[in-house]
Amino acid sequence: MASAIAAARARLVAWIRHLARIRYRLLLINVIVAAVPVFGMAFAEMHERQLLAALESDMIHQAELVRAVVRTSDREPSALEAALVIAARDTRTRIRILDDHGALVADSHRGGPPEGAEPPVPYLSGGESPTHVAEIPKPVALAERSEVKAALAGRYGSATRLWEKQQRVFLFAALPVMDRGTVTGVIYVTRSTHDVKLQLYRLRTWLVRLLALSLGITALITLLLATTIARPLGKLTRRAQRIAARQPVEPNDRLMRRSDEIGQLARAVDAMTDELERRARDARTLAADISHEFKTPLTGIRGAAELLRDGAAEDPEARDRFLEMIVDDTARLDRLVSRLLELARVEDYRGA
């Protein structure tokens, strides 16, 4: 169990290190930049709901104005139809007045839409919504609609319906007309979502263009940064690994000619390579010199010791001479060791 957890942790660490490479960091940054228009699409959906809510609120305000006119006017509601036509022409809103049974009393669109046919809405994928002609609406049993039933019951009613034939969405709002607590009629307002769809088309078109531009720019930036940063760093990493493995390397003049940090790093690696090669040569030369310098006194010491062993120690004069030779050669070795220590201190100071 513990070994499995350790193996999983090791794989996780290796995966994190793999993703920590510069190219993946740059890609992450570019993905975040490109994701901004995508979040803009989500904002467009929220904006659509807000626009529809604002459209419904505007419809309610229009219905309240018509209700106030109906309450305060001495004329019959049917006599207000001409005023409803003028209001519909300016606001592209169909306004109907119903009696207390849901029957139609006045209609701004009785003779057809006074504002004319709606222009088609273009699609993001190309083309546009179907074009329809302004036609006289057909009679409908309005009292059966849920929003009208709610208004006849003294409550506000609303609904959204799709006209599949022409691919249009309509909002419906119904306000009751009250007189001393009794419902005497209904103000029934209908409006197309054409304006909302047109605004959303413009917004989404801008967001799609921004998304395409962001993707193009981020792709170019990723390619540029990968070419100018990640790839040269990979080359320098492989060169440093060859140097560590004591394998021959060739200088990269193209990288060293760069004036940015990559060029500075390449020149530093090249200088390090030269310094390591110099130190290697110095070490080989020093080893040869030490071998030569140490060999002479060691040979003298060994020769004197062998002569003393072979009987020269019986002769006091020879014994003193050979002992003095050993002492001299030992002092010479001591001086060589002192010089080596001093040379090592100089190299350490130079390296610091």
Side-chain angles (χ1 to χ4, degrees):
M1 184 66 180
S3 60
I5 295 176
R9 184 178 300 174
R11 287 194 297 269
L12 178 61
V13 171
W15 183 72
I16 294 175
R17 288 179 179 176
H18 182 72
L19 292 181
R21 294 183 178 181
I22 292 180
R23 66 182 65 182
Y24 294 113
R25 295 181 185 180
L26 297 175
L27 179 61
L28 177 61
I29 293 174
N30 293 328
V31 167
I32 293 175
V33 173
V36 172
V38 176
F39 287 108
M41 292 294 185
F43 168 77
E45 297 295 333
M46 180 182 68
H47 185 56
E48 179 180 10
R49 292 192 292 269
Q50 292 177 346
L51 289 176
L52 292 175
L55 183 61
E56 183 179 2
S57 177
D58 183 59
M59 293 168 57
I60 294 174
H61 293 159
Q62 287 182 286
E64 289 176 344
L65 288 175
V66 175
R67 182 171 62 179
V69 172
V70 171
R71 284 176 175 176
T72 57
S73 177
D74 296 333
R75 296 188 298 172
E76 292 294 327
S78 58
L80 300 175
E81 191 164 295
L84 298 181
V85 171
I86 297 175
R89 183 185 301 115
D90 295 335
T91 61
R92 302 190 68 89
T93 303
R94 184 178 182 181
I95 306 173
R96 285 172 281 190
I97 301 176
L98 312 180
D99 62 14
D100 56 349
H101 297 290
L104 183 63
V105 176
D107 186 359
S108 63
H109 285 47
R110 191 183 298 274
E115 70 276 12
E118 290 183 350
V121 177
Y123 296 142
L124 288 176
S125 57
E128 56 187 20
S129 61
T131 303
H132 68 281
V133 296
E135 56 186 16
I136 298 176
K138 298 178 182 180
V140 179
L142 300 178
E144 300 299 324
R145 292 185 173 180
S146 60
E147 63 274 18
V148 176
K149 290 181 178 180
L152 291 175
R155 304 186 307 272
Y156 167 73
S158 64
T160 303
R161 292 186 178 88
L162 172 65
W163 190 356
E164 296 183 358
K165 181 180 178 182
Q166 298 185 5
Q167 297 183 8
R168 290 187 296 166
V169 179
F170 290 89
L171 298 181
F172 298 84
L175 263 68
V177 179
M178 308 292 293
D179 185 13
R180 299 177 183 178
T182 304
V183 178
T184 58
V186 175
I187 307 299
Y188 194 35
V189 181
T190 305
R191 191 164 181 177
S192 171
T193 59
H194 172 272
D195 295 337
V196 174
K197 293 171 66 176
L198 187 59
Q199 291 186 41
L200 289 175
Y201 166 77
R202 293 169 180 168
L203 176 60
R204 286 169 177 161
T205 300
W206 181 81
L207 289 173
V208 168
R209 291 175 180 174
L210 179 61
L211 176 61
L213 180 63
S214 300
L215 290 176
I217 292 177
T218 51
L220 291 176
I221 291 176
T222 302
L223 180 62
L224 176 64
L225 294 178
T227 303
T228 58
I229 296 179
R231 188 176 300 174
L233 286 178
K235 291 181 179 179
L236 291 175
T237 300
R238 290 188 293 271
R239 185 179 182 188
Q241 291 172 347
R242 291 181 63 87
I243 293 173
R246 297 184 179 181
Q247 297 176 353
V249 293
E250 295 294 332
N252 194 325
D253 295 335
R254 184 177 180 181
L255 291 179
M256 289 191 293
R257 285 195 299 267
R258 293 179 53 159
S259 58
D260 56 3
E261 289 81 358
I262 300 295
Q264 295 176 2
L265 180 59
R267 290 188 289 272
V269 171
D270 186 70
M272 180 188 69
T273 304
D274 294 339
E275 179 65 18
L276 290 176
E277 291 179 352
R278 184 191 67 79
R279 292 196 176 192
R281 289 194 301 269
D282 292 346
R284 288 192 296 269
T285 302
L286 181 61
D289 293 342
I290 290 175
S291 176
H292 177 72
E293 292 293 334
F294 273 56
K295 188 175 182 179
T296 301
L298 287 175
T299 301
I301 292 173
R302 185 177 60 182
E306 290 176 350
L307 290 173
L308 289 174
R309 184 191 60 187
D310 293 340
E314 302 298 332
D315 185 357
E317 183 178 353
R319 182 182 60 207
D320 294 339
R321 186 172 69 252
F322 290 140
L323 291 175
E324 184 176 357
M325 290 175 57
I326 292 174
V327 172
D328 292 340
D329 289 336
T330 303
R332 184 177 179 183
L333 288 174
D334 184 66
R335 289 193 299 271
L336 288 174
V337 172
S338 298
R339 289 173 59 187
L340 288 175
L341 292 175
E342 184 178 356
L343 179 62
R345 286 194 295 268
V346 171
E347 289 294 330
D348 291 340
Y349 177 78
R350 183 186 299 176

